[in-house]
Structure formats: C-alpha cells, structure tokens
Amino acid sequence: MTDTIFTPRSYEFKPYVDCKNWIGGEWSDAASGKTQTVMNPRHEKEMGKVAWSDAADVDRAVAAATAAFEGWKATPLKERAQVLYRVKNIMTERLDELAWLLSHENGKTLAQAKGDVLKGIECVEFGCSIPNLGQGEQLDVSRGINCAVTHEPVGVCAGVVPFNFPTMVPLWMLPQALVAGNTFVLKPSEQVPYSSMRLAEVFKEAGLPDGVLNIVNGGKETVEALCDNPTIQALGFVGSTKVARIVYARAAQTGKKVVCLGGAKNHLVVVPDAELKLTADTVVASAYGCSGQRCMAASVMIAVGDVQPIIDSIVKTTSGMTLGEDMGSIINPASVERITGYINEAEKRGAKVLVDGRGKSVAGQPGNWVGPTILDNVSPDMPAGCEEIFGPVLSIIRAKTLDEAIAIENDNVYGNAAAIFTTNGGVARYAVERFSAGMCGVNIGVPVPREPFAFGGWNDSKLGTGDLTGFDGYRFWTRPRKVTTRWEMAKDSTWMS
Ligand code: NAD
C-alpha cells in the first residue's frame, strides 16, 4: 500500500497516504466511510486521513481473526516463531525508513524514533525465543500420576496502544500473543496510525497468514466496541490511567483477561554523594527524551540536602539544548496548552522557573513546541509536583532527608518508576527497598527492565495482574491447561497380551 514517498531522511514535511483498516489481509475503509485527520506535530500540517471505525468494523476484524485462528493455532510453535525471525530481519533492513515515518507522525527526533523501532525489534527477538522458553512444566505428583501444564492460546486477542511509542508499544504485545497461536486485533493511536500500518505490511511480507493480525483504526468508540466484543478473550491496554480505568472495567464485563498499563509520575532521588556528571546527564536525558512524553520520564527530581552543583549542571545542559534537534515536538496543541498550564500554575504558586520552555519554537516553523523546562522549589501538593504532565518539564522538590524523599515518592498515586542517585550501595538498597514503584533504578534515569524482564508499574500505573512484556506477556496471552494422567492398565489387558 505504501511506497517510499519519504525519500529524503530529513524533517522536511511531506504529506502521506491515507491510513485504512487492515482486515483479513486487505486494506479497507471504515464501514461508515468516516475518517479523521492525522497531523504532523512538528509542522502542524495534515499528513493524511485515518479510518474512523465503529462496532461494525470491529466485528469484521474479529470475524477475520476468528476465521484465521484454528489454522494459526495448528501451526507448530517453532514455525510461528519463524515469522518473527523474518519480521526482525525486515525491520532491521528498513530501520531508517521506519524510524523516519515514526518521527514524522509522532514528532520525535530521528535518533529517538530509531530508538523506538530498535526497542520494538528487541521485543520481536524475545518472541523468537519463546520456542526455547515456552514449554510447559510436568511432574509426577503421586505414584504413577503425572501432572503437566501447557500454555495454550486464548483465541482472538486485542491491543489498544498510545501515541508516544508508535512501534515499540504494539510490539510489547504482538510477538508473544502471535507466537502463542492467538490471532489479534490492534487499535493504534489515532494520532500515530502509520507505524502500525507499516507493521501490518512487515508481518504480511514475513509470511503471517491473512487474518492473524488485523488493525482497526479509530478512537473511543472503536475501543468500546473491542471491550464489549464477547469473542475477544484477552485485551491489553497501554495509555493514560483515566482511560485505563474505563477500559479495565468495561472489558472485564465480558470476562476477558485484561491488563491495562497507565500513566506515571516518576521520581529521581538525588543525594549529596551522587556522582555529578553521571547524575546530571542522566537526569537531563530522562526528563527530555521524547520531549518528556514517556511513561518512564523523570518528572520529579527530589534534591536531598545540598546537591546544588548537580542542579547547576542540569540547568546548564538544559539551557544549551537546541529545540528541534536535541528534542522533538509535542504531540498536539492541546498538550502544549496543558504543559504550559502546569508551568504557569507552579510559578503562580511560588515555584522558581530556572529554565523556561514556554513560547519556544523552532524558528520559522509552526508546530507544537515547548522547550525543556526546570521548575525549582516545587511542592508535592502543586499539580506540577504530583500529576502527570507528560511534557519536557522537570520539577525539583527539595527534601532535607532521604526518608522525607522516600515519603514524597510513596505518597504519589502512581508507581511506574523511581530511581536513586548515589555512590553508596547501602543508601541505594535502602531507597529501592522502600520505593513504591514497580520499576526501580540505581543511577539509571529510565529504569526500563528490558527483555527478557517484564515491564509494568504498581499502584495507579497498572490495573490487572502480571505484566505485558517478557515472559509475563506470554503468560497473559495464553491460558494454562493442567492435565493429570494415570496409566495403570493390567498387564494382561493390553494388546501385548
Ligand atoms: P490515552 O489514554 O489518551 O489513549 C490511549 C488509547 O486509548 C488510544 O488508542 C486512544 O484512542 C484510546 N482512548 C482515548 N480515550 C479513550 C476513551 N475515553 N475510551 C476508550 N479509549 C480511549 O493515552 P495517550 O495520550 O495516547 O498516551 C499517553 C499516556 O499513555 C500517558 O498517560 C502515558 O503515561 C501512558 N503510557 C503508559 C505506558 C506504560 O507502560 N505504563 C507506556 C506508554 C504510555
């Protein structure tokens, strides 16, 4: 469907093709004919249109996935994994092109877009390893009695994903779900549908049978139809906590397995013995990578005692960043307004703006921009101190002791990530054991537990049991069958007698 319209690897604006639904191995419009505009956030110009689906389209995709299920399930696991090996190879060959398109629809820098695709490839690699990891367990549980567990596909599965990692997050789900023998209906973010469109093409080229992977584009109504569809057996969601709650409750009504990863407010605790350069550079990279639009971004730095030299270094590096080159754009105008609102409100309530990204943009270019921002003397009860901003804003909260810092982290409703910066192992251990977060770091600003470890937070950052990536993902997209067996035929009753 697509071609290489984007030949120059630059940030120059190019319109793109329209994005349709991928159902049963064919591109189709939404049954209603409705579409929505996809904007390039760097230029705030229309890239194309995306199909706007309703329950009729979801039903069609689920029917295609149902029809493909028995054949795919009957395909041996090792053969299913071969598709993933080919997906990895194709994605690796097309890395630049995939990253380039992702950068255009999402607004990330080309380098960060490449990181997004590479992390996606790593998830595919994990899927390739399932034939070596995914065997069941068996044990003689009594004299002559054996119990065995097999992980079996659940049937038709669905995934709903956010805008901020257009390639990686769908690939948090697809490798394990597909290699397990399920068929899938993916609902990409309507703001960045093109990377998923490319994924459908890559899987097709890699030999995935038609109907095994389907894509329905759209928004709230599409997601509601997925939640309500009784044929779908498992649904994974990644997005804001507000929507995660709605999806979790609604999808569970039909008895589906559901895991919903939500929003975050990540705290980096810096103590006086922290190594200056490592800490300062790591905090900056964590706060402003992907313009702070990451669920693992440093949002709050808790400065314990006198860490002023580290703060000075963070301010210096941040002030020297070039917008458009070191940091990309913000996804849409509403997000720019929200982020700016948090900065305004914090300033009004007494925070000091050490670096001000308000009103900054790339010269001579429209688009959605906020420059990297640092707020000092933020308190945990200010919105900037406790709510998810999802933008390039680092709020510094001052604390007198490590215990006070840990208490601030613990009080926050989220629990995705937390990190401690120190050169003392005892301090590191003390903090990690007390953080209320599912993913902790020691001198690491973005403590993502990369494959084979599983990604997932605690508290309001996740609803449901288990994680979506790593082997937990395989468990989520399968159901265990327990078989207890006894063979005690009398010798003289067999065919041998
Ligand atoms: P979002 O919650 O607005 O949207 C996520 C998905 O839900 C999209 O596909 C969207 O179309 C759909 N949706 C939106 N409103 C809906 C509604 N009312 N009912 C049903 N579906 C709806 O999230 P976003 O703005 O695309 O992404 C940013 C959020 O995602 C942040 O909160 C971020 O922390 C979170 N996130 C979390 C993780 C994680 O692993 N915890 C990873 C990435 C992003």
Side-chain angles (χ1 to χ4, degrees), residues 93-360:
E93 273 164 26
R94 309 234 176 105
L95 175 60
D96 281 350
E97 188 194 333
L98 293 170
W100 186 44
L101 178 59
L102 193 161
S103 160
H104 278 258
E105 65 176 344
N106 171 281
K108 286 182 199 201
T109 64
L110 285 166
Q112 288 165 356
K114 212 177 236 189
D116 191 329
V117 179
L118 284 169
K119 289 286 180 326
I121 291 173
E122 197 170 285
C123 298
V124 175
E125 283 170 6
F126 182 73
C128 294
S129 72
I130 291 292
N132 300 315
L133 300 172
Q135 83 279 21
E137 307 86 43
Q138 65 86 27
L139 186 73
D140 280 354
V141 290
S142 186
R143 234 176 263 273
I145 298 186
N146 180 273
C147 195
V149 180
T150 54
H151 303 289
E152 306 210 355
V154 295
V156 179
C157 300
V160 178
V161 292
F163 79 83
N164 63 328
F165 280 91
T167 296
M168 181 187 76
V169 173
L171 291 173
W172 280 358
M173 305 180 187
L174 293 176
Q176 286 93 323
L178 297 183
V179 83
N182 300 291
T183 54
F184 208 92
V185 181
L186 176 69
K187 207 301 278 176
S189 165
E190 63 276 27
Q191 302 184 87
V192 293
Y194 289 119
S195 291
S196 289
M197 181 175 96
R198 284 305 233 198
L199 278 182
E201 291 170 340
V202 168
F203 273 91
K204 166 87 180 162
E205 199 178 326
L208 190 73
D210 291 344
V212 174
L213 169 61
N214 306 275
I215 297 180
V216 281
N217 287 291
K220 178 174 179 278
E221 196 181 343
T222 322
V223 176
E224 287 171 353
L226 289 168
C227 293
D228 295 346
N229 190 295
T231 304
I232 295 172
Q233 298 296 310
L235 185 145
F237 170 91
V238 181
S240 61
T241 296
K242 183 177 144 225
V243 180
R245 283 193 200 291
I246 297 167
V247 168
Y248 189 71
R250 190 155 177 160
Q253 292 295 312
T254 48
K256 294 175 178 46
K257 293 176 97 173
V258 196
V259 165
C260 297
L261 305 190
K265 185 78 177 171
N266 305 313
H267 297 73
L268 305 187
V269 176
V270 178
V271 301
D273 73 5
E275 212 264 299
L276 190 147
K277 186 166 165 38
L278 177 141
T279 304
D281 291 354
T282 306
V283 171
V284 169
S286 176
Y288 306 122
C290 303
S291 309
Q293 299 173 119
R294 285 197 286 197
C295 66
M296 292 297 277
S299 183
V300 171
M301 170 178 151
I302 309 184
V304 181
D306 181 12
V307 294
Q308 199 54 43
I310 295 175
I311 292 175
D312 292 344
S313 176
I314 291 171
V315 169
K316 188 165 172 236
T317 312
T318 304
S319 308
M321 287 175 73
T322 305
L323 204 51
E325 293 297 327
D326 300 322
M327 208 182 82
S329 52
I330 303 298
I331 190 67
N332 56 36
S335 296
V336 171
E337 202 176 309
R338 184 192 68 239
I339 295 162
T340 310
Y342 275 108
I343 305 170
N344 293 341
E345 171 75 10
E347 188 178 38
K348 210 163 74 189
R349 292 173 69 159
K352 192 169 170 200
V353 186
L354 299 183
V355 182
D356 194 349
R358 288 173 290 189
K360 298 277 178 355

Side-chain angles (χ1 to χ4, degrees), residues 455-478:
F455 186 103
W458 289 359
N459 310 328
D460 283 3
S461 293
K462 190 182 75 180
L463 290 90
T465 306
D467 291 333
L468 268 182
T469 68
F471 200 75
D472 265 20
Y474 187 66
R475 282 206 189 87
F476 177 70
W477 300 111
T478 54

Side-chain angles (χ1 to χ4, degrees), residues 11-12 37 61 73 84 88 117 141 174 184 205 207 312 346 351 397:
Y11 294 119
E12 190 189 334
T37 303
K73 181 187 169 193
L84 295 182
K88 175 196 150 70
V117 179
V141 290
L174 293 176
F184 208 92
E205 199 178 326
D312 292 344
I397 296 179

